[in-house]
Amino acid sequence: MSKQHIVKYSADEIRRKVAAGESQSDWARVDAMTDADIEAAMRSDPDWSDLAEVDWSTAVAVYPCPSRPFRSALIRT
């Protein structure tokens, strides 16, 4: 069994962490990468290699709506 530590955060919690400077991302390194560097990294990553040919220039970020309680009635006939 994996001893990996998995933590879940809500979008609001992540925004608060980033605003507080708690991001673990090296954004300076990301900003310094060229498009060629990013494409090379994608092609070398087995999780992303199949998506290297996708045209991401028209991609749109879609954020889920907050969930609402759902109630269902089962009717027996």
Side-chain angles (χ1 to χ4, degrees):
M1 180 185 284
S2 173
K3 294 185 182 205
Q4 186 178 24
H5 181 72
I6 298 174
V7 180
K8 293 183 181 182
Y9 294 104
S10 71
D12 288 335
E13 289 172 317
I14 291 172
R15 286 186 195 100
R16 284 194 297 271
K17 286 181 165 294
V18 170
E22 295 181 36
S23 174
Q24 295 180 1
S25 298
D26 185 356
W27 293 113
R29 180 175 158 242
V30 173
D31 290 339
M33 293 177 78
T34 64
D35 288 347
D37 294 335
I38 294 169
E39 185 173 338
M42 280 181 64
R43 290 186 186 280
S44 67
D45 185 335
D47 291 333
W48 284 95
S49 62
D50 294 340
L51 299 171
E53 301 304 323
V54 174
D55 179 11
W56 294 102
S57 66
T58 59
V60 177
V62 178
Y63 299 96
C65 297
S67 58
R68 296 183 309 177
F70 175 75
R71 211 170 153 198
S72 175
L74 299 175
I75 301 171
R76 194 177 216 181
T77 58

